């Protein structure tokens, strides 16, 4: 079985990644590994909405998405950020092809349960994985913007982590890599912060309740948990700033924090 992996990355994280990171992507691609990238872009969307004078608010961490907001979400994600990533990968000698979930009906979606209060935000119902397979077979890295579409042609804003988990699951990938700006989930041991090598979803909830995971780290770990769905059993949180991090995460493991649904308890 060829080696492939799905990587989720926020738009602002991607913009700050060092050139070495893209060099690693190129080397992995050249060695026969097939990466798939799903990206977000929340801060850039907020910034553009402000510039255009369009009001936006969040309900339980998801952006309330009206028709006007949806236009901007698509413009920023599928336009600016998607092409910026494709361009950066190309400048570093690898080949990428950018698309959104609308292209070829790649990400099929339906409204979330609380659509009445949150607007055009979607849950993924299906992923046309054959499109991704075809792009990889042509030798390109697929770069996917998380916009979904339904049978009526209605577009949906989809949480990037949810979309990434769905893409990985439909591709049959069991392990996903979330590239962020932290080296993993930190725990204070004897007064020193250490990266936890492995943690379960239940342990994360306990650490949030006890205050060990706090502030900006909460949405990051909650987002990573959203990637664990379908066939995806494990999500690895790594820092894109660490040298060689991608190769280590793909080939060796033992880097960042691995989040698993549950551990087999030792008797």
């Amino acid at each position: 079985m060829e080696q492939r992996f799905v990587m989720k990355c926020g738009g602002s994280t991607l913009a700050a990644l060092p050139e070495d990171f893209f060099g690693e992507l190129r080397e992995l691609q050249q060695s026969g590994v097939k990466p798939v990238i799903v990206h977000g872009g929340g801060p850039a969307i907020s910034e553009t909405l402000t510039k255009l004078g369009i009001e936006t608010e969040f309900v339980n961490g998801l952006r309330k998405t009206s028709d006007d907001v949806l236009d901007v979400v698509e413009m920023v994600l599928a336009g600016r950020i998607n092409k910026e990533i494709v361009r950066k990968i190309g400048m570093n000698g690898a080949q990428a092809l950018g698309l959104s979930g609308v292209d070829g009906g790649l990400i099929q979606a339906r409204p979330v349960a609380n659509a009445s209060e949150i607007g055009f935000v979607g849950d993924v119902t299906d992923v046309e994985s054959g499109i991704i397979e075809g792009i990889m077979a042509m030798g390109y890295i697929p770069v996917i913007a998380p916009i979904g579409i339904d049978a009526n042609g209605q577009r949906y804003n989809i949480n990037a982590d949810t979309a990434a988990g769905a893409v990985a699951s439909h591709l049959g990938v069991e392990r996903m890599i979330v590239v962020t700006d932290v080296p993993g989930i930190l725990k204070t041991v004897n007064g020193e912060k250490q990266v936890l090598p492995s943690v379960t979803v239940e342990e994360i909830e306990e650490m949030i309740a006890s205050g060990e995971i706090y502030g900006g780290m909460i949405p990051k770990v909650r987002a990573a948990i959203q990637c664990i769905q379908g066939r995806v059993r494990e999500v690895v949180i790594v820092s894109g700033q660490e040298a060689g991090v991608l190769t280590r995460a793909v080939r060796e493991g033992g880097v960042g924090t691995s989040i698993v649904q549950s551990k087999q308890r030792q008797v």
Side-chain angles (χ1 to χ4, degrees):
M1 179 72 179
E2 64 186 16
Q3 195 176 7
R4 44 172 66 173
F5 71 93
V6 174
M7 172 184 126
K8 147 70 189 23
C9 200
S12 49
T13 304
L14 268 160
L17 286 175
E19 298 297 310
D20 292 0
F21 185 89
F22 292 96
E24 273 192 81
L25 258 184
R26 180 192 68 234
E27 282 162 22
L28 283 166
Q29 188 188 31
Q30 287 172 348
S31 72
V33 175
K34 297 195 164 160
V36 177
I37 297 172
V38 180
H39 66 85
I45 294 168
S46 297
E47 183 192 320
T48 308
L49 286 166
T50 303
K51 275 185 189 165
L52 296 172
I54 298 169
E55 290 201 7
T56 183
E57 58 181 302
F58 286 84
V59 179
N60 297 328
L62 292 173
R63 187 186 300 276
K64 196 168 175 179
T65 307
S66 63
D67 250 338
D68 285 350
V69 171
L70 192 54
D71 279 344
V72 174
V73 166
E74 187 170 50
M75 178 175 87
V76 174
L77 286 182
R80 181 181 136 199
I81 291 181
N82 190 271
K83 300 313 162 208
E84 190 182 330
I85 299 165
V86 169
R87 197 168 64 238
K88 273 196 160 175
I89 292 171
M91 281 162 56
N92 284 280
Q95 287 189 300
L97 200 150
L99 64 166
S100 83
V102 172
D103 295 296
L106 175 63
I107 298 175
Q108 303 283 328
R110 62 162 178 246
V112 291
N114 61 334
S116 57
E117 56 174 328
I118 202 170
F120 298 112
V121 176
D123 278 328
V124 180
T125 55
D126 201 8
V127 174
E128 293 287 341
S129 52
I131 296 174
I132 301 172
E133 301 276 3
I135 291 169
M136 290 195 293
M138 286 164 59
Y140 291 92
I141 296 172
V143 179
I144 302 166
I147 314 255
I149 194 161
D150 67 15
N152 302 318
Q154 173 62 51
R155 297 164 302 166
Y156 294 91
N157 179 8
I158 296 180
N159 175 288
D161 304 280
T162 307
V167 164
S169 186
H170 282 85
L171 279 174
V173 173
E174 292 190 351
R175 189 152 152 270
M176 234 190 81
I177 298 168
V178 173
V179 179
T180 181
D181 54 2
V182 291
I185 298 175
L186 302 169
K187 184 171 179 140
T188 305
V189 183
N190 299 331
E192 276 186 37
K193 289 198 168 185
Q194 296 179 357
V195 174
L196 285 176
S198 174
V199 65
T200 65
V201 173
E202 191 185 344
E203 285 167 345
I204 284 174
E205 290 302 341
E206 285 168 6
M207 285 174 74
I208 290 172
S210 73
E212 278 184 283
I213 294 176
Y214 60 91
M217 197 62 205
I218 296 176
K220 284 178 186 157
V221 295
R222 285 244 160 94
I225 291 170
Q226 283 189 302
C227 297
I228 300 177
Q229 52 176 288
R231 292 189 190 174
V232 181
R233 301 260 172 271
E234 180 191 11
V235 173
V236 185
I237 297 185
V238 298
S239 163
Q241 301 293 330
E242 244 175 276
V245 72
L246 198 52
T247 308
R248 282 171 64 200
V250 173
R251 295 197 185 285
E252 303 153 24
V255 63
T257 299
S258 159
I259 302 175
V260 288
Q261 189 66 52
S262 59
K263 286 177 187 158
Q264 296 299 316
R265 295 276 171 227
Q266 300 294 319
V267 179

